[in-house]
Amino acid sequence: MDEEEEERIVGQRLGDAGGCGGPDRGVATAGPSDAGEYVNRGGFLDRRSTGPPHPESLVELPPELLVEIFSLLPGTVLPNVALVCKKFRQILNTETIWRRRCMEEFGMKEDLRKMEAGGVSSQDLYVKLLHPYRHILGLWQPDIGPYGGLLNVVVDGLFIIGWMYLPPHDPRVEDPMRRRPLFRIHMWESNKATVECMYGHKGPHKGDIQTGKKDEFSTKCNQTDHHRMPGGRQEEFRTWLEEEWGRTLEEIFHEHMQELILMKFIYTSQYDNCLTYRRIYLPPAMPSDLLQPGLFKGTYGSHGLEIVMLSFHGNSARATKLTGDPNVPAGQLTLDVDLSRPVVLPELEQQRNIEELSRLVLGVHEEVQREVEQQANGTPATVRQAAEGACGGASGAEEMEADHVACVDNCQSGPSGSSSSSNPPEALPFILPLGVMARNEVYPRTCRKCFYGTGLIAGHGFTSPERTPGLFVLFDEDRFGFIWLELKSFSLYSRLTDHLAHAHAPNMERFEAMLRNMQSWTS
């Protein structure tokens, strides 16, 4: 139920319960008739009450009880309650009601007392700051071309702050995320909400926020001179490079990486924090999911670390980019994993051979392509073909039959398998094949499961995009990897563990619609 419908229903119920009436009707008071009427029953006087035994409307309740009732209502409907009558309007000036709304709806606690001591009431805070800007709380993706980003708008103390989340410095994928404030909204200096831009190195300065379309808002800096540095663009670039990559340009020896870094600085710095943001949601979780869906940091070669969103759709696991690069931009489906096609790894020594891994994965890939062709021709795949495809593809050779037997004995059919989540699968030894490049020399040496999947690769400017086969490796609840066979490279992904409020999708339909919109933004 959305807020408008909720307000309408609550307002209707209050009206049905009885209002304060017109000028001829006031609050009920005790009078002579309230004492009751006495009648003679068999020689005894029996008192018969002529007044109502219980209040007949909300307005007849004592003020302290009305305060308790109003404190339980959502803050969005309280303005409608105030329109019912003068008594309700006066009671709604009670700070207890608004303090409770600030605490329960926005998580504010001790800060309220500090704010009230400074002369700002909880009612003003709710009505002038929290309520008007409640629609911008949550997760957002900025429109910065192929690079994207992750903005989390939260109530932080007595402020609403927009935090830009940045991955750790490459290649430390398991380090915590970094945060940078882009804007804040507060009521410290006046009795109205003030928007300030936090971009640059000269402290807070004047900014503006515009909310027009649903699930979209824009920020604007009114003093972009605060973003400039005395040393000009060279000093700005050196400062940005140290913040973004944690090193100087001289320490980056790879020429192609230097070009990519310089390109990103030129492209992103032109916005001057004047950006448009679109709402994104965290994926819903289902009991059948292979692991908890959510946000992960991953290594992408010379492009550094990027943020992806892992979600589950039936027998598929999909990783969508929230941050991107000039080759594969933000919003695109970077990984698509078929959980109905597990891959059994060979013995540890054979895992070192890239040809052996390629044989297993490409066998599944060829089987998938055959099934796609058969479906296109109207010929359904047989059960035998599906079983063989799940274990590396069917070629008729004895070694492939051996793989099939191993798969039947050891593999499960993905999230719908019969294994219980209370009994996690046994850890299996894992090692990268020789010749596969990895940004992280330290990676898990055991895994739980492996599946066939495809990864998206493209030329500069997202030219000639294609899905290439690879191996999805589940290490544990918080880490997974992907081996890109064609690129001979390995990406390691680690879960983003920050608490993200106001970020969960209302339902799966809204989440999938958001994913489709994300891909259309950058296609």
Side-chain angles (χ1 to χ4, degrees), residues 73-88:
L73 295 177
T76 54
V77 306
L78 294 181
N80 289 343
V81 177
L83 297 175
V84 174
C85 65
K86 182 178 180 180
K87 179 179 180 180
F88 285 6

Side-chain angles (χ1 to χ4, degrees), residues 89-304:
R89 187 164 60 253
Q90 291 174 339
I91 289 177
L92 283 172
N93 288 325
T94 306
E95 278 292 276
T96 304
I97 298 174
W98 299 99
R99 188 181 302 126
R100 186 167 179 175
R101 289 296 91 221
C102 292
M103 292 172 62
E104 293 188 0
E105 294 181 25
F106 299 98
M108 303 189 69
K109 296 180 181 178
E110 303 83 5
D111 299 311
L112 291 174
R113 301 290 185 181
K114 188 190 307 181
M115 178 201 62
E116 291 169 0
V120 179
S121 67
S122 295
Q123 182 176 359
D124 284 343
L125 180 72
Y126 190 99
V127 172
K128 299 178 181 180
L129 178 64
L130 300 179
H131 178 74
Y133 290 99
R134 71 192 185 282
H135 294 304
I136 71 170
L137 298 178
L139 290 182
W140 303 83
Q141 186 178 46
D143 184 3
I144 315 180
Y147 298 103
L150 179 63
L151 180 82
N152 188 26
V153 183
V154 298
V155 177
D156 194 335
L158 300 179
F159 299 87
I160 292 178
I161 300 182
W163 293 101
M164 181 68 84
Y165 275 67
L166 305 172
H169 293 140
D170 181 56
R172 300 195 293 268
V173 69
E174 298 196 40
D175 283 3
M177 295 287 288
R178 298 175 295 128
R179 298 192 308 171
R180 177 189 302 162
L182 292 190
F183 64 84
R184 70 180 186 181
I185 315 170
H186 63 86
M187 291 182 59
W188 275 120
E189 299 173 358
S190 62
N191 201 28
K192 64 178 182 179
T194 301
V195 178
E196 293 179 330
C197 175
M198 303 290 289
Y199 190 77
H201 300 271
K202 296 183 180 179
H205 47 283
K206 292 181 180 180
D208 187 28
I209 289 180
Q210 298 177 346
T211 54
K213 300 179 182 178
K214 184 180 180 181
D215 292 336
E216 184 176 306
F217 77 94
S218 300
T219 58
K220 180 182 178 182
C221 177
N222 297 330
Q223 293 177 292
T224 55
D225 57 297
H226 279 63
H227 306 169
R228 309 283 80 85
M229 301 188 74
R233 296 288 279 175
Q234 289 187 350
E235 183 181 358
E236 292 171 14
F237 174 65
R238 286 195 298 269
T239 304
W240 175 88
L241 183 60
E242 187 171 351
E243 292 176 351
E244 188 83 7
W245 290 83
R247 63 186 84 173
T248 65
L249 195 62
E250 291 74 22
E251 294 173 328
I252 301 173
F253 301 105
H254 199 291
E255 184 176 348
H256 179 56
M257 182 180 289
Q258 291 180 351
E259 294 175 353
L260 291 172
I261 290 172
L262 184 59
M263 185 187 309
K264 184 175 183 179
F265 169 74
I266 294 173
Y267 192 98
T268 58
S269 61
Q270 66 180 328
Y271 286 92
D272 269 335
N273 206 24
C274 299
L275 296 168
T276 298
Y277 298 88
R278 298 181 180 94
R279 183 178 293 282
I280 57 177
Y281 296 111
L282 292 178
M286 300 294 289
S288 58
D289 290 344
L290 183 66
L291 71 159
Q292 181 73 18
L295 305 185
F296 290 78
K297 308 152 283 182
T299 55
Y300 280 86
S302 299
H303 298 293

